[in-house]
Amino acid sequence: MAIRLPVICLLGSFMVVAIAADLTPERYWSTALPNTPIPNSLHNLLTFDFTDEKSTNVQVGKGGVNVNTHKGKTGGRTAVNVGKGGVRVDTGKGKPGGGTHVSVGSGKGHGGGVAVHTGKPGKRTDVGVGKGGVTVHTRHKGRPIYVGVKPGANPFVYNYAAKETQLHDDPNAALFFLEKDLVPGKAMNVRFNAEDGYGGKTAFLPRGEAETVPFGSEKFSETLKRFSVEAGSEEAEMMKKTIDECEAKKVGGEEKYCATSLESMVDFSVSKLGKYHVRAVSTEVAKKNAPMQKYKIAAAGVKKLSDDKSVVCHKQKYPFAVFYCHKAMMTTVYAVPLEGENGMRAKAVAVCHKNTSAWNPNHLAFKVLKVKPGTVPVCHFLPESHVVWFSY
């Protein structure tokens, strides 16, 4: 009984807001794609996660109460859950990752309701009230975290041109291979790494917040100020390269889009593939920060998931989660079970492009595989932070 009174008061205070609601990213997903599970790679980007923090975890009853507190260099944090989807409170301080999230009420799916967003990006509060309950969310304050930031182009876009030195020192070079190599027992040297330098530990912003952030070369200086990034710094260079890729001319009729929120990624993918027979998958590795090692394709073998069109989304370097998505025709998507030398297993996703005639002749894939554009299908494994959408 001690818990109910503040919950009722909180609910009553927010119900004065008229119901007209933006959905949370999770609820938007379940509404737009009711039959499509969200991959772990995307789910992990819905909140910040810091592994160096001390933690406390308290659970009472079967799904009844859950209390998590942890402290560390990034600041203290508290998470409280009461009831089956009934109450959720998350608070955090420090930079980055500080914030508050409060939800009251239960319900699966989108639930409807009200969403109120206040504050500036990086210091923003989101409030939602509706059938699914009440949500209050404030985003992280201060400068965001960048992991493995090294300015450089994205080797998974068609117009990418590799430098000679990258043949020797780019770990992504091992991600490219030929379709004929997808057979049980085939060995490849690969490094799967969630923090692969092509995205790092940055989370999604809700679409309502992301749309208020200037994204483009014309307002780049304003964007730097919003995120307290110094012009000319490595972080600024990283951001500029992402914007340049998003604004670059299309290659060979390519349909591309830079998604600045989970919701906008869903919209683009659904517009190209439909919503009723679509899946989204990512590579999954048993251990984070896995070293470069030799993997063999497991005897269980390779499974073809799709052999037509797909939408491939590559995580970019930016203060919040941004994905470079492009519709790929004449592509085959495979699920590839791998076993590492150290016994570690991976469920890798591979994409094979059957027509590469419009790609840059100096693309890293051609240099690694010693083939010419348009001659043979070119395949690559997806890093853990990337995702491919396909029809089935």
Side-chain angles (χ1 to χ4, degrees), residues 13 23 66 128 148 152-153 165 190 192 232 286 302 329 342:
S13 65
L23 306 177
N66 191 330
T165 55
V190 185
F192 290 113
V302 177
M329 302 298 293
N342 65 358

Side-chain angles (χ1 to χ4, degrees), residues 79-323:
V80 179
N81 299 283
V82 180
K84 188 176 181 181
V87 177
R88 180 187 176 102
V89 179
D90 298 286
T91 63
K93 298 180 179 180
K95 57 179 185 179
T100 301
H101 180 103
V102 179
S103 61
V104 179
S106 61
K108 296 181 180 180
H110 67 282
V114 174
V116 180
H117 308 290
T118 63
K120 296 180 179 180
K123 298 180 180 180
R124 190 169 184 84
T125 300
D126 304 314
V127 180
V129 181
K131 184 178 179 181
V134 178
T135 61
V136 180
H137 196 106
T138 38
R139 282 285 167 175
H140 66 283
K141 298 180 181 181
R143 295 177 63 179
I145 276 186
Y146 303 101
V147 178
V149 174
K150 292 183 179 179
N154 189 334
F156 302 106
V157 298
Y158 303 148
N159 60 358
Y160 172 83
K163 300 178 182 178
E164 291 299 326
T165 55
Q166 289 176 282
L167 290 174
H168 306 287
D169 60 17
D170 191 337
N172 287 283
L175 293 176
F176 293 99
F177 54 90
L178 297 176
E179 192 172 25
K180 66 181 182 65
D181 294 327
L182 285 174
V183 294
K186 177 67 177 180
M188 303 181 188
N189 290 318
V190 185
R191 181 186 181 189
F192 290 113
N193 192 336
E195 310 304 344
D196 56 17
Y198 289 95
K201 193 176 287 187
T202 52
F204 279 115
L205 297 179
R207 176 156 60 181
E209 179 175 345
E211 289 178 347
T212 68
V213 181
F215 188 84
S217 54
E218 292 184 359
K219 296 185 177 181
F220 185 60
S221 59
E222 182 180 342
T223 305
L224 294 179
K225 291 179 181 179
R226 288 283 189 102
F227 291 101
S228 301
V229 176
E230 184 178 353
S233 66
E234 185 177 63
E235 294 167 356
E237 182 66 15
M238 171 198 73
M239 295 167 62
K240 184 62 167 62
K241 287 185 179 295
T242 291
I243 291 174
D244 288 344
E245 286 181 3
C246 291
E247 294 182 341
K249 293 182 179 180
K250 298 179 181 179
V251 177
E254 172 193 22
E255 295 183 65
K256 67 174 187 175
Y257 174 74
C258 276
T260 59
S261 66
L262 179 64
E263 298 94 322
S264 61
M265 183 196 296
V266 169
D267 287 351
F268 177 77
S269 301
V270 166
S271 72
K272 304 305 175 186
L273 302 173
K275 65 179 291 186
Y276 296 106
H277 298 284
V278 62
R279 285 186 62 195
V281 294
S282 295
T283 293
E284 297 184 5
V285 183
K287 183 180 179 181
K288 291 184 178 181
N289 301 320
M292 173 79 78
Q293 64 174 305
K294 182 176 291 185
Y295 286 88
K296 286 187 178 181
I297 297 179
V302 177
K303 180 181 179 180
K304 183 184 293 186
L305 301 178
S306 176
D307 195 25
D308 184 15
K309 59 185 178 181
S310 61
V311 172
V312 188
C313 294
H314 308 288
K315 193 165 187 288
Q316 301 297 102
K317 303 174 185 177
Y318 216 68
F320 57 91
V322 171
F323 281 79

